Amino acid sequence: MAYKILVLKGDGIGPEVVGEALQALKVVARRDAVDIEFREAPIGGHAIDAYGKPLPDATLAAARDCDAILLGAVGGPKWDNPKAEMRPEQALLGLRKELGLFANVRPVKSVKEFLPASPLRPDIVNGVDLVVIRELTGGIYYGKPSERRSGADGREAVDTCYYSESEIERVLRYGFELARERRKKLTSVDKANVLSTSRLWREIATEVAARYPDVKCDHQLVDSMAMHLIRRPRDFDVIVTENMFGDILTDEASVLAGSMGLLPSASLGEELNGAGYRIGLYEPIHGSAPDIAGRDEANPLAAILSAALLLEHSLGMRAEAELITQAVEGVVRDGYRTRDLGGGAGVKVVGCKAMGRLVRERIESLEPEA
Ligand SMILES: NC(=O)c1ccc[n+]([C@@H]2O[C@H](COP(=O)([O-])OP(=O)(O)OC[C@H]3O[C@@H](n4cnc5c(N)ncnc54)[C@H](O)[C@@H]3O)[C@@H](O)[C@H]2O)c1
């Protein structure tokens, strides 16, 4: 039976970077004789223009009927009016909610070649290899009431942070499963000294930890975690936290890699058929970069690495995922860079298409790991 992958190229540089990621996937599928059916659908600003909404019904239906989704980015100045009824970003919230994508997974690995580009000292970031898991469909971004109103004191506003036991438990369980396959360390981040939701979070984290005695679990308050993450990032393996804390910590963690252009992400839902693989949405962490769209300058590596995450988490093809990662690392080691990654001695600056081609050639030259 063929795997079904939905490709949502989106706006700005989305089509350029996803185009290269798609071709990398096709090379892997061809060389390992894996049957993958690729479908495409509109999303974001272009979908607003053509269909009157950022997540057309047909796109959502196609997303429900696939094993995984590869996304570029959405948005751009044309659709930036904050008062507009429809905004491209609504498509992402809609997909997350409709597909139950509750765990946002962002691996951050420092790359030796980019250590000098990091604002942090090389001795701090060298060897960083961590994953931040952010709860994605609950918490203060979704709680009701969330509104502005008039009160006795004039204008006031309220947002509500709500978490249920099952929402907290499933994302922590996913974190422990992942930690088990890595260095067996999990840091649960909360604000248990102040918030009720965080006290429940810590209570459940402690209960789930008891079911994973082989994983070392510790708890950090989010404010001190923000400091530890840049002071001693090598000490962390898997970090799990709620939606808003994760939103902030994932951006902070992205600095550790030296370049945003290398960071993929996965948003995962429940297991498919109990087989360990999950429906997932895979995308680079960068946006649609309208300033360089259509100029063949975009860096496709984060999108290509997102395709590697897709193979690993939704198709269970770890060796093939590793092949793509190794190919990207090899090309970077050989000195090839897109403009955003910076120049320097021995560096060869190439465009988006050439970078994609170099990665494909590298994939074809590598033997998959057993
Ligand atoms: N998940 C998403 O779809 C997503 C995420 C963030 C921003 N956005 C949207 O993207 C648009 C632009 O947002 P922004 O400027 O704040 O962030 P951005 O990430 O698009 O761009 C920030 C800077 O980084 C550069 N850049 C980003 N990705 C690059 C790549 N792959 N290669 C080379 N350079 C790259 C851009 O040229 C720009 O100078 C906005 O409409 C925003 O809403 C979408």
Side-chain angles (χ1 to χ4, degrees), residues 13-334:
I13 59 167
E16 297 168 61
V17 297
V18 171
E20 299 308 320
L22 186 57
Q23 289 201 56
L25 277 177
K26 286 182 176 171
V27 168
V28 170
R30 201 169 49 235
R31 68 171 274 164
D32 290 6
V34 183
D35 200 2
I36 303 181
E37 183 189 323
F38 296 97
R39 299 172 181 177
E40 283 193 33
I43 193 166
H46 284 99
I48 295 179
D49 291 350
Y51 301 94
K53 43 180 165 172
L55 182 61
D57 297 346
T59 301
L60 183 58
R64 287 205 174 104
D65 182 43
C66 69
D67 297 294
I69 303 163
L70 184 64
L71 174 82
V74 297
K78 185 176 175 195
W79 307 282
D80 254 356
N81 178 2
K83 291 196 176 130
E85 217 173 283
M86 300 273 177
R87 291 181 52 80
E89 294 77 9
Q90 288 165 345
L92 304 181
L93 295 180
L95 271 180
R96 287 173 191 167
K97 205 67 186 170
E98 292 294 329
L99 299 179
L101 305 176
F102 65 87
N104 181 246
V105 180
R106 285 201 196 175
V108 178
K109 213 170 167 181
S110 67
V111 177
K112 208 170 88 250
E113 283 73 11
F114 296 123
L115 292 183
S118 171
L120 299 170
R121 285 204 321 263
D123 60 304
I124 290 180
V125 282
N126 191 16
V128 166
D129 181 4
L130 58 83
V131 179
V132 186
I133 300 174
R134 161 189 171 195
E135 200 291 324
L136 203 55
T137 49
I140 200 162
Y141 293 172
Y142 289 96
K144 295 278 182 288
S146 170
E147 63 192 18
R148 260 177 85 127
R149 57 196 182 197
S150 296
D153 245 359
R155 285 171 296 177
E156 59 180 38
V158 59
D159 293 299
T160 304
C161 189
Y162 166 90
Y163 266 113
S164 71
E165 180 173 355
S166 62
E167 285 175 319
I168 300 173
E169 200 262 353
R170 66 182 176 180
V171 71
L172 280 160
R173 193 161 26 92
Y174 176 71
F176 277 99
E177 294 289 340
L178 189 67
R180 211 169 228 180
E181 293 166 17
R182 293 173 46 95
R183 300 198 305 281
K184 299 185 170 52
K185 276 171 71 176
L186 183 141
T187 305
S188 171
V189 179
D190 59 41
K191 185 73 182 167
N193 53 345
V194 178
L195 298 174
S196 299
T197 40
S198 277
R199 280 192 283 277
L200 180 64
W201 182 283
R202 190 172 286 211
E203 197 176 304
I204 292 170
T206 306
E207 288 164 13
V208 178
R211 306 208 297 264
Y212 295 84
D214 51 324
V215 176
K216 188 174 174 303
C217 171
D218 71 329
H219 305 270
Q220 289 287 341
L221 295 173
V222 63
D223 39 353
S224 53
M225 185 65 200
M227 183 182 66
H228 294 311
L229 197 54
I230 48 169
R231 273 209 167 152
R232 50 181 187 91
R234 264 197 308 266
D235 289 354
F236 298 100
D237 179 13
V238 174
I239 298 165
V240 189
T241 190
E242 59 118 277
N243 205 342
M244 183 166 68
F245 300 159
D247 195 3
I248 298 163
L249 290 180
T250 45
D251 266 24
E252 187 187 350
S254 71
V255 175
L256 301 169
S259 168
M260 225 171 68
L262 286 175
L263 293 178
S265 79
S267 300
L268 304 175
E270 296 290 355
E271 265 183 43
L272 301 167
N273 311 321
Y277 311 128
R278 292 161 189 275
I279 172 88
L281 170 75
Y282 301 84
E283 59 183 320
I285 74 160
H286 60 71
S288 61
D291 52 333
I292 57 164
R295 303 214 311 234
D296 193 32
E297 276 179 23
N299 174 2
L301 295 180
I304 293 173
L305 290 170
S306 301
L309 283 184
L310 180 157
L311 290 175
E312 180 181 347
H313 293 283
S314 285
L315 271 48
M317 295 167 59
R318 285 210 180 162
E320 288 80 357
E322 183 55 32
L323 197 64
I324 293 185
T325 307
Q326 276 181 27
V328 168
E329 286 171 3
V331 167
V332 167
R333 229 179 7 251
D334 285 352

